[in-house]
C-alpha cells in the first residue's frame, strides 16, 4: 500500500492508501494526459477561409 496525503477542496488534509494497482493506474493516466496531442482550434476566420464557398459568400457580403 502507498500512503498519500491529499488536500481536499475544503482545505482539509486527508491521508489515503492506494493499492499497487491504483498507483499504476494513476501513473498510466498521468502519462496518457502528458502525451495527449495538443490541438489548437481554428479561429472563426480560419474556419471561413477553409471553405472556398464560404469565402465567396464572405466577399459578397463585404461587397468585395
Amino acid at each position: 500500500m502507498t500512503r498519500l496525503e491529499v488536500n481536499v477542496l475544503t482545505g482539509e488534509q486527508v491521508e489515503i492508501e492506494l493499492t499497487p494497482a491504483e498507483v499504476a493506474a494513476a501513473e498510466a493516466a498521468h502519462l496518457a494526459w502528458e502525451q495527449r496531442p495538443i490541438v489548437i482550434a481554428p479561429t472563426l476566420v480560419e474556419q471561413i477561409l477553409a471553405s472556398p464557398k464560404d469565402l465567396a459568400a464572405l466577399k459578397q457580403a463585404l461587397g468585395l
Side-chain angles (χ1 to χ4, degrees):
M1 291 281 202
T2 299
R3 294 172 94 61
L4 180 68
E5 286 190 15
V6 180
N7 289 323
V8 293
L9 293 176
T10 62
E12 180 184 0
Q13 201 164 11
V14 296
E15 189 174 285
I16 60 173
E17 290 186 2
L18 300 175
T19 65
E22 291 170 326
V23 171
E27 289 174 345
H30 179 74
L31 182 60
W33 175 259
E34 288 291 319
Q35 294 178 346
R36 75 192 185 287
I38 303 299
V39 178
I40 299 172
T43 65
L44 179 58
V45 172
E46 290 170 330
Q47 291 174 23
I48 291 170
L49 295 178
S51 167
K53 179 182 171 187
D54 291 339
L55 180 57
L58 176 62
K59 284 183 176 180
Q60 183 178 9
L62 294 175
L64 299 173

